[in-house]
């Protein structure tokens, strides 16, 4: 066995593997997935601690690599292949999903992983036999061709992890919002939601809860891409069940701000007549109304002129007329929606007509 590739560059490969594995499972995109998986699989009894979890996962994968190395004795141009089973298991860990609410799924990995592991060990054994025919005098130094060949093999395996791991942007953002909300970082929740183009009902619920905690629900709700109708605001039903936050925490927020939740729920359901009935029971119809209540009153007066209520707000009326000027133009529907979104996407009027 050549000692060059084993003794001198070995430390570099271990360093590369540790840096990549810890980065993937702790500092970068897959952290939220690890948190979700551990919370669900433990039934909420334990929670993923970023750095500790990443180090434990990486250490276990490294021990597996050491076992493969001592089993195969690969030490030359195919030394990096001893990391292949570890990279495969890391790929599986970072491929979990939450397509079934309240559980984690591994898609096709449950049956594919054992087959791939068998193939990995077969490949390692084959390469171990081929190693006996390699040139024993070939340079194995740090800057040698053999070293670069191994680095290329490891790079391909790293790329495999990145390409196959779960890249569902909506799921990652939802998990990130859950993390922020559990810490009481409501600004973080809203920042994630503001950069989202495709939200789901659980994200809508978390966004509304964060706004409610900041007492900004009726003034800012429709700034964000909320979806799912009024039922999305409450943790009812598995389709909106979050993973890392007990439903009771959100329910407490709803109970403290019940009237605003009721009114916003009616707005999200586009039930303007019932909204007006409830609004007049809880608020005076004047300039003190929150922003989206004002916009809804103006829209109600336009849609139901026979039942309109007295309300005047010159600034809001001017903006509503500008919105109507776009919506009633004789132009292609796609262009109409583009222009109205560009100028009025943060209004209740846009939500009412576009969702």
């Amino acid at each position: 066995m050549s000692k060059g590739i084993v003794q001198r560059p070995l430390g570099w490969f271990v360093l590369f593997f540790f840096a990549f594995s810890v980065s993937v499972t702790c500092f970068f995109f897959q952290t939220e997935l690890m948190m979700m998986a551990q919370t669900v699989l433990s039934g909420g009894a334990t929670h993923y601690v970023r750095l500790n979890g990443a180090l434990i996962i990486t250490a276990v994968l490294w021990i597996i690599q050491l076992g493969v190395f001592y089993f195969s004795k690969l030490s030359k141009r195919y030394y990096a292949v001893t990391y292949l089973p570890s990279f495969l298991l890391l790929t599986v860990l970072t491929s979990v999903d939450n397509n079934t609410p309240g559980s984690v799924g591994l898609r096709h990995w449950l049956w594919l992983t054992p087959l791939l592991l068998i193939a990995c060990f077969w490949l390692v054994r084959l390469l171990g036999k081929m190693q006996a025919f390699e040139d024993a005098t070939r340079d194995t130094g740090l800057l040698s061709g053999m070293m670069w060949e191994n680095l290329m093999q490891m790079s391909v395996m790293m790329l495999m992890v990145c390409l196959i791991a779960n890249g569902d942007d909506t799921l990652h953002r939802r998990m990130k919002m859950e993390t922020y909300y559990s810490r009481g970082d409501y600004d973080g929740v809203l920042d994630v939601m503001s950069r989202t183009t495709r939200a789901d009902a659980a994200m809508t619920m978390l966004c509304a809860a964060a706004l409610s905690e900041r007492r900004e629900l009726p003034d800012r709700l429709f700034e964000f891409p909320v979806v799912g109708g009024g039922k999305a605001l409450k943790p009812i039903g598995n389709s909106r069940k979050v993973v890392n936050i007990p439903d009771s925490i959100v329910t407490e927020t709803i109970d403290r701000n019940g009237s605003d939740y009721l009114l916003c729920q009616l707005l999200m359901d586009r039930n303007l007549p019932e909204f007006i009935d409830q609004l007049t029971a809880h608020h005076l119809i004047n300039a003190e109304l929150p922003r989206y209540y004002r916009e809804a009153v103006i829209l109600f007066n336009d849609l139901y002129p026979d039942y309109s209520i007295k309300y005047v707000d010159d600034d809001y009326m001017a903006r509503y007329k500008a919105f109507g000027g776009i919506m009633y133009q004789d132009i292609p529907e796609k262009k109409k929606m583009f222009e109205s979104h560009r100028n009025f996407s943060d209004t209740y009027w846009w939500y009412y007509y576009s969702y």
Side-chain angles (χ1 to χ4, degrees):
M1 182 190 304
S2 172
K3 296 183 179 180
I5 193 68
V6 175
Q7 293 181 348
R8 291 197 296 271
L10 177 59
W12 289 103
F13 286 103
V14 174
L15 179 62
F16 293 150
F17 179 75
F18 263 76
F20 178 79
S21 179
V22 171
S23 296
V24 167
T25 56
C26 178
F27 295 110
F28 294 140
F29 209 40
Q30 304 301 332
T31 306
E32 287 74 29
L33 285 185
M34 299 293 100
M35 299 176 84
M36 175 194 72
Q38 181 162 335
T39 300
V40 172
L41 294 175
S42 69
T46 62
H47 298 278
Y48 185 80
V49 179
R50 283 175 47 169
L51 184 57
N52 293 347
L55 290 175
I56 291 172
I57 289 172
T58 302
V60 170
L61 294 177
W62 181 48
I63 291 172
I64 292 173
Q65 182 272 330
L66 289 177
V68 175
F69 170 69
Y70 284 111
F71 164 77
S72 65
K73 306 302 181 183
L74 283 176
S75 60
K76 297 182 182 179
R77 62 187 303 177
Y78 298 118
Y79 168 74
V81 178
T82 61
Y83 285 89
L84 184 57
S86 298
F87 275 112
L88 174 60
L89 293 175
L90 182 60
T91 302
V92 175
L93 284 174
T94 55
S95 296
V96 297
D97 60 45
N98 188 226
N99 294 334
T100 302
S103 66
V104 294
L106 289 173
R107 294 176 284 182
H108 49 270
W109 288 112
L110 284 177
W111 62 268
L112 190 56
T113 302
L115 296 179
L116 290 176
L117 284 174
I118 292 172
C120 287
F121 286 113
W122 177 83
L123 177 62
V124 166
R125 181 164 184 160
L126 177 63
L127 295 176
K129 293 180 179 179
M130 294 174 56
Q131 181 174 251
F133 300 99
E134 290 188 35
D135 184 1
T137 63
R138 188 175 178 186
D139 182 21
T140 58
L142 184 60
L143 300 179
S144 67
M146 188 175 293
M147 177 67 175
W148 287 107
E149 289 175 16
N150 278 275
L151 286 176
M152 287 296 295
Q153 294 166 32
M154 182 166 277
S155 298
V156 169
M157 289 183 278
M158 291 178 178
L159 183 62
M160 174 188 71
V161 175
C162 296
L163 293 178
I164 300 178
N166 192 327
D168 185 343
D169 186 61
T170 301
L171 174 60
H172 283 283
R173 290 184 185 275
R174 171 155 55 89
M175 291 298 106
K176 195 176 290 291
M177 289 175 70
E178 288 189 28
T179 300
Y180 285 133
Y181 192 88
S182 65
R183 297 173 182 169
D185 184 358
Y186 305 123
D187 288 336
V189 173
L190 300 177
D191 179 62
V192 173
M193 191 67 169
S194 68
R195 293 183 281 107
T196 299
T197 56
R198 188 181 64 178
D200 60 18
M203 295 171 70
T204 296
M205 183 187 72
L206 292 169
C207 176
L211 288 171
S212 184
E213 291 288 355
R214 292 170 54 90
R215 301 189 180 279
E216 297 174 344
L217 182 61
D219 283 302
R220 296 188 60 195
L221 179 61
F222 297 100
E223 289 180 16
F224 305 93
V226 292
V227 298
K231 61 184 180 181
L233 297 184
K234 298 182 178 181
I236 301 173
N238 286 337
S239 62
R240 288 168 303 283
K241 190 175 182 65
V242 292
V243 175
N244 295 312
I245 305 170
D247 290 350
S248 58
I249 294 180
V250 178
T251 302
E252 290 174 4
T253 300
I254 295 173
D255 291 342
R256 289 197 304 271
N257 304 278
S259 62
D260 281 334
Y261 259 93
L262 173 61
L263 291 167
C264 287
Q265 182 176 346
L266 293 169
L267 288 181
M268 290 192 67
D269 286 335
R270 301 177 183 80
N271 189 348
L272 289 180
E274 178 66 19
F275 166 79
I276 293 298
D277 288 343
Q278 294 294 332
L279 181 67
T280 53
H282 292 91
H283 293 272
L284 295 175
I285 309 301
N286 56 29
E288 301 297 322
L289 282 178
R291 172 187 175 179
Y292 290 120
Y293 296 173
R294 298 190 213 182
E295 293 184 357
V297 169
I298 291 172
L299 179 60
F300 175 83
N301 286 341
D302 185 39
L303 296 178
Y304 301 91
D306 295 338
Y307 304 95
S308 62
I309 59 178
K310 185 177 180 181
Y311 178 72
V312 178
D313 190 309
D314 293 337
D315 292 336
Y316 278 71
M317 282 300 302
R319 196 164 188 225
Y320 180 68
K321 289 179 180 178
F323 173 77
I326 295 175
M327 295 301 292
Y328 295 117
Q329 284 187 77
D330 186 17
I331 58 176
E333 189 68 20
K334 184 176 290 188
K335 183 177 181 181
K336 183 187 301 184
M337 297 307 292
F338 173 78
E339 290 294 331
S340 59
H341 178 268
R342 185 176 65 174
N343 295 285
F344 299 98
S345 62
D346 63 337
T347 66
Y348 178 67
W349 312 318
W350 161 258
Y351 172 88
Y352 187 89
Y353 283 106
S354 62
Y355 283 93

